[in-house]
Amino acid sequence: MDRMTNTTVDTPLAALLTNKRRVSALKALGVLTVADALTYYPFRVTDPVPVRALAEARFGEKMACAVDVRALRVTPMNARRGYRLEVLVDDAPTAASRAVPPRTAALVFFSHRKSYVDWMASRLRAGLQLVISGDPSTFNDRLQFTHPDILTVAPAEPPAAEPQLAFSEPAVQPQPRLRYDVDSVAQGLARATRPRPVYHANSRISSEHIHETIDQVLRLLAGEDPFAASPVTADSAQFGEQFALGEAARARLAEQIPDVLPEPVRTAKHLMHRAQAFCAIHEPQSVADFKRAIETMRYEEAFVCQCALLMARGRAATSNAYACADVQLRDGYIERLPFALTNGQREVIDAIGTDMGRAHPMQRLLQGEVGSGKTVVAVAAMLQAVGSGHQAVLVAPTQVLAEQHFQSISASVGDLVPVHLLTGGMKLAARRKVLAAAASGEPCIVVATHAAFSKSFQAPNLALAVIDEQHRFGVEQREALRAKSERDPHLLVMTATPIPRTAAMTWFGDLDISWLTELPGGRKPIRTFVIPEADAHMMADMFWHIRRRIDEGERAYIICPRIEPSDAEDGGTGEPDAPELLSGEALGDTGEPRPPLHAVVEIAQRLRSLPQFNGVRLCTLTGRDDDATKAQVMADFESGETPVMVATTVVEVGVDVPQASCITIFDADRYGLSQLHQLRGRVGRGGTDSWAFLVSRAELGTVAQERLEVIAGSLDGAEIASRDLELRGAGDVLGDAQSGGKSSLKLLRVVQDARMIADARASAQELLAHDPDLAGHVQLAGAVLDFTRGNEQYLTSN
């Protein structure tokens, strides 16, 4: 009883479930609390199942039927290991009610575990009524259901002792006390025929057991006994047929799961109460109810997201920043550049200059194709800050990229302003020197990795923070930078990950957005080819082509998703440059087991044995290499001493080697399109002809093959991003910090739901105009706070 009265959305499942294996299996899916269970949404719902007599069975069509058990037996399977439970049933009462002749059928269950077969047999006995649901088939001219869903029906009176029937061998004796699933045939048919949610499951827990757990937590939240069968009542329809809740229980459920959306917004959009929506999602009475409930939660995600972004934008507009109006240093840098800026670069630099001249912080997202010249824009902005007597910091996602930025910026403006490098792997003395320079407030540029977010880094005179590759940073880290200075710094976010405009408005609605669409002069289109790995002739031709380019003094990248063959199959290499693989699942599009991913160590050995690379030195680069090794490897690659680099995706962003003309990506079918586009952008940066080879083991006609055809047929980053979002979802494209499995959003789709997002933004603006701090909307304020923090306990969308 304590569990029923004390359960809240924050209660850990481990405190509710006695089955520790199930608790562990759910934990592996990220489901730890009641809130996690409620927001572990099914990815689809089944169609209603028709009720038919056995004589009306149609092969290939699922059906439900009430039957009586006549006999059962357990036998070992001779041809293979395991056991078989066969249950003989007939449908005489059902057939009579439908005016068709009665018929018998066999219910068959297989398992290699004797304990499972014995447990299943213990639930049954001759004379027991069942409601079955499954796909009919035939075996030896007998109607058969293999592993059907079954519900045991409680008898009207306790059964009298009677001998067990059998149709060949003595049947298994049932346990003396049986526990029944439903109280009546009508209730069983209602449960068996209604639509059923289907969840993403794994080998440790089935979709049915996930559903069972969520059913239990909903009952506990309502103060009901989750193990008691309940009759269907007319007044329970609002909360789903499974939940025959009285007024008090329904009130408790609504209290435990309060609405986040303001009541006027919810009613105006004809959305469900949140408690009602959760019941309709996990216990739908109809497909239409399920869809309406999903739309309710999707709109709530959009509304909370837009409230959070608008409030962040509002706070920035009222905070103080250093006004940076001196552009003399910036303009001098632009004049000494050895090339002319594109029109797009000039426009963005002017817009940034205007924003930075104001006394409230700029918040701008700069999106540009790979190689469109974003770094030049960033350097110009930082020089405007330093020229005005302040500090600027550039934060890069990897150490390799930070070192490259430091070297290029030092070479171009090191004679004008101090430039410092700050990384987590620096020696203590050098690190202290940089921290002291930043803490002193001297005007300078600091190029940093995640070390910029540490408490030891303080820059009281910080006027500008530039974040390179925004999709690798979360909202919390952006906020951390704002605490480094005496005033809020101006913020310039740069990304080469192509994000459609609708997506950018969704994720970066608190930022002004600029696009660089022109490529600097001299860049040539990259020719992209899909290479089937099984085609030995094409693979050989590819390697000979790479050898010819190397002999011409050029460089080549060979990209692998793993470091060593022993690394985890899901791409979890335990390193910061682990690839954003599409899935860690063992099965591919065709249902066949996926081949193991290629590894740097394996491919490097393979290449050294090929005649195409005879006499050519190869180097390797991974996230596990120490800082000194990374620096030496990059130096040798750039100089041509080791013209072929076998690497992980550590080279994905920012690595700039002008002589690189070829890139080969193994297991390309396992990457998302945006990441392939990023990797492809590593070549052709010196104006030479360039090639990208996507080595794939995907079968023709699969989704994986379709992805590769998209990337091979287009160099338009926006088009590629749109297709990537359609094929993969926002989580993989934009990174965990912004969406997907670890974010505050689960249902919102940035492309398909563009209109919903715009509508939610308009409604949020109207609400915030009257209540800017959400003082009158406590639940919404809490959800917005959790969203801003990226809190994984956020109920509606973890």
Side-chain angles (χ1 to χ4, degrees):
M1 191 63 184
D2 287 343
R3 287 193 300 173
M4 290 185 279
T5 57
N6 297 329
T7 302
T8 69
V9 294
D10 298 318
T11 303
L13 292 182
L16 301 178
L17 305 180
T18 57
N19 187 331
K20 300 308 178 185
R21 286 187 177 181
R22 183 172 298 189
V23 171
S24 176
L26 289 167
K27 182 178 180 181
L29 295 175
V31 179
L32 284 78
T33 66
V34 168
D36 296 335
L38 295 180
T39 56
Y40 193 78
Y41 297 118
F43 64 90
R44 69 179 179 90
V45 66
T46 63
D47 291 325
V49 178
V51 177
R52 293 177 181 150
L54 294 179
E56 300 171 316
R58 301 174 188 173
F59 301 123
E61 294 185 17
K62 195 170 184 178
M63 60 170 281
C65 183
V67 298
D68 294 327
V69 177
R70 293 304 172 210
L72 61 152
R73 66 176 177 184
V74 174
T75 56
M77 292 185 290
N78 297 325
R80 50 182 176 156
R81 293 176 58 190
Y83 298 86
R84 168 190 174 100
L85 168 63
E86 188 170 356
V87 184
L88 183 65
V89 298
D90 69 49
D91 67 339
T94 302
S97 68
R98 299 178 68 85
V100 296
R103 188 172 178 182
T104 61
L107 314 182
V108 182
F109 302 88
F110 303 98
S111 179
H112 67 278
R113 290 186 293 121
K114 182 71 158 50
S115 58
Y116 167 79
V117 173
D118 288 344
W119 171 79
M120 181 65 73
S122 72
R123 299 176 61 196
L124 309 174
R125 60 171 175 76
L128 183 67
Q129 277 190 306
L130 304 176
V131 172
I132 65 170
S133 175
D135 295 299
S137 60
T138 58
F139 182 73
N140 288 339
D141 295 325
R142 174 188 286 167
L143 183 65
Q144 177 174 294
F145 292 82
T146 304
H147 285 279
D149 296 323
I150 65 170
L151 295 170
T152 57
V153 181
E157 298 178 359
E162 59 181 44
Q164 177 75 31
L165 301 177
F167 48 91
S168 63
E169 298 181 6
V172 175
Q173 293 297 322
Q175 294 178 351
R177 298 185 63 181
L178 295 178
R179 188 173 182 175
Y180 304 103
D181 298 315
V182 292
D183 292 335
S184 66
V185 169
Q187 187 186 25
L189 288 173
R191 284 182 56 177
T193 58
R194 69 157 184 244
R196 304 181 71 173
V198 183
Y199 302 84
H200 286 293
N202 58 28
S203 60
R204 297 180 62 188
I205 187 169
S206 67
S207 173
E208 190 65 34
H209 286 157
I210 294 171
H211 182 217
E212 182 182 281
T213 300
I214 297 173
D215 172 279
Q216 291 175 13
V217 300
L218 275 169
R219 283 182 176 274
L220 287 168
L221 282 174
E224 297 282 309
D225 182 354
F227 303 106
S230 302
V232 182
T233 61
D235 66 347
S236 67
Q238 177 187 2
F239 284 86
E241 172 273 324
Q242 176 87 5
F243 303 99
L245 304 179
E247 290 291 340
R250 294 204 304 275
R252 176 176 171 80
L253 193 62
E255 179 183 331
Q256 293 285 10
I257 311 176
D259 260 328
V260 164
L261 289 174
E263 186 65 18
V265 173
R266 186 176 72 80
T267 54
K269 304 301 177 186
H270 306 290
L271 303 174
M272 292 180 171
H273 185 282
R274 179 198 253 181
Q276 180 189 359
F278 278 130
C279 290
I281 287 171
H282 298 296
E283 293 290 346
Q285 272 196 296
S286 67
V287 175
D289 279 352
F290 175 82
K291 291 181 178 179
R292 184 181 171 213
I294 288 291
E295 285 302 292
T296 294
M297 303 313 298
R298 185 173 285 141
Y299 189 90
E300 185 180 291
E301 289 187 355
F303 194 85
V304 170
C305 165
Q306 293 306 313
C307 280
L309 295 173
L310 289 169
M311 291 176 74
R313 190 180 184 90
R315 286 193 299 270
T318 58
S319 58
N320 295 321
Y322 292 111
C324 303
D326 191 335
V327 297
Q328 183 177 350
L329 192 62
R330 181 199 75 179
D331 293 344
Y333 162 71
I334 293 174
E335 289 176 5
R336 58 192 270 184
L337 287 172
F339 52 84
L341 296 179
T342 65
N343 291 332
Q345 286 174 312
R346 290 185 179 278
E347 290 175 5
V348 173
I349 288 173
D350 289 342
I352 290 172
T354 301
D355 287 349
M356 290 180 62
R358 301 190 179 109
H360 59 82
M362 169 188 73
Q363 294 195 107
R364 184 171 293 276
L365 170 68
L366 175 58
Q367 177 175 321
E369 282 286 358
V370 174
S372 60
K374 297 183 298 298
T375 304
V376 171
V377 173
V379 172
M382 289 190 290
L383 288 176
Q384 182 171 337
V386 177
S388 300
H390 304 293
Q391 297 170 309
V393 61
L394 169 62
V395 184
T398 67
Q399 174 149 340
V400 170
L401 182 53
E403 290 173 347
Q404 285 218 331
H405 277 317
F406 172 69
Q407 292 169 2
S408 62
I409 294 172
S410 297
S412 59
V413 302
D415 59 330
L416 302 177
V417 299
V419 182
H420 305 291
L421 175 66
L422 179 65
T423 69
M426 295 175 64
K427 292 183 178 180
L428 184 59
R431 182 183 176 87
R432 284 178 173 172
K433 185 177 180 180
V434 174
L435 292 174
S440 71
E442 70 161 350
C444 64
I445 293 174
V446 178
V447 181
T449 57
H450 285 71
F453 302 119
S454 67
K455 293 181 179 179
S456 59
F457 176 69
Q458 296 295 323
N461 197 18
L462 183 64
L464 173 67
V466 180
I467 297 181
D468 196 5
E469 296 304 325
Q470 159 68 16
H471 69 290
R472 291 178 179 266
F473 296 96
V475 176
E476 258 189 297
Q477 291 168 314
R478 270 200 263 163
E479 295 294 331
L481 279 178
R482 293 195 172 105
K484 302 295 183 184
S485 176
E486 294 179 355
R487 301 186 187 182
D488 284 352
H490 299 286
L491 181 66
L492 176 63
V493 172
M494 302 193 301
T495 179
T497 300
I499 306 170
R501 287 174 184 265
T502 54
M505 287 184 65
T506 304
W507 306 114
F508 311 118
D510 57 333
L511 308 179
D512 296 311
I513 304 174
S514 297
W515 274 268
L516 286 178
T517 55
E518 298 175 75
L519 292 181
R523 290 294 299 267
K524 296 181 180 180
I526 303 169
R527 283 171 274 189
T528 306
F529 300 91
V530 179
I531 308 294
E533 188 172 347
D535 191 327
H537 181 72
M538 288 188 71
M539 291 288 290
D541 284 350
M542 175 187 71
F543 288 134
W544 280 119
H545 174 83
I546 293 173
R547 176 57 187 264
R548 288 192 292 270
R549 303 322 307 164
I550 292 170
D551 291 342
E552 292 292 326
E554 297 167 11
R555 315 280 186 273
Y557 296 105
I558 310 291
I559 306 300
C560 303
R562 293 192 292 172
I563 297 177
E564 296 177 354
S566 59
D567 290 327
E569 174 63 20
D570 62 359
T573 58
E575 55 164 338
D577 54 303
E580 298 175 31
L581 295 181
L582 293 182
S583 172
E585 297 175 358
L587 300 181
D589 294 331
T590 61
E592 294 298 320
R594 293 183 187 269
L597 297 171
H598 288 299
V600 169
V601 173
E602 164 214 344
I603 292 298
Q605 292 175 346
R606 177 175 160 187
L607 295 182
R608 290 187 179 102
S609 67
L610 294 178
Q612 291 93 327
F613 295 98
N614 186 30
V616 175
R617 290 190 61 193
L618 280 68
C619 62
T620 62
L621 183 68
T622 74
R624 290 182 186 170
D625 296 327
D626 58 43
D627 298 340
T629 300
K630 288 178 181 177
Q632 187 61 52
V633 168
M634 286 303 302
D636 291 345
F637 182 64
E638 290 183 48
S639 69
E641 186 172 341
T642 53
V644 176
M645 175 185 289
V646 185
T648 59
T649 54
V650 70
V651 302
E652 175 189 353
V653 290
V655 174
D656 189 359
V657 179
Q659 300 89 346
S661 64
C662 295
I663 184 166
T664 297
I665 305 171
F666 278 90
D667 296 305
D669 53 297
R670 301 291 294 276
Y671 292 86
L673 301 186
S674 291
Q675 192 170 29
L676 290 175
H677 185 61
Q678 283 272 51
L679 289 166
R680 178 170 60 181
R682 295 309 100 208
V683 298
R685 305 176 73 85
T688 61
D689 291 328
S690 54
W691 295 264
F693 302 105
L694 310 178
V695 179
S696 166
R697 288 179 280 189
E699 297 291 334
L700 292 176
T702 60
V703 175
Q705 180 68 19
E706 181 185 352
R707 285 194 296 264
L708 296 183
E709 295 302 330
V710 170
I711 198 78
S714 177
L715 293 171
D716 185 337
E719 177 189 345
I720 290 168
S722 293
R723 293 289 291 143
D724 208 6
L725 283 165
E726 292 172 13
L727 293 169
R728 296 174 58 199
D732 292 323
V733 178
L734 300 178
D736 285 339
Q738 294 300 330
S739 70
K742 295 181 181 178
S743 81
S744 294
L745 294 175
K746 274 191 171 181
L747 296 173
L748 199 62
R749 304 161 303 183
V750 294
V751 176
Q752 299 96 317
D753 298 326
R755 289 185 180 180
M756 178 184 287
I757 293 164
D759 182 278
R761 190 175 184 86
S763 297
Q765 285 174 325
E766 184 178 347
L767 177 69
L768 292 171
H770 297 92
D771 188 1
D773 297 323
L774 298 178
H777 301 85
V778 177
Q779 295 298 328
L780 177 59
V784 167
L785 181 62
D786 286 341
F787 175 87
T788 303
R789 292 174 174 171
N791 191 335
E792 294 191 10
Q793 302 303 317
Y794 175 38
L795 173 60
T796 62
S797 52
N798 167 37

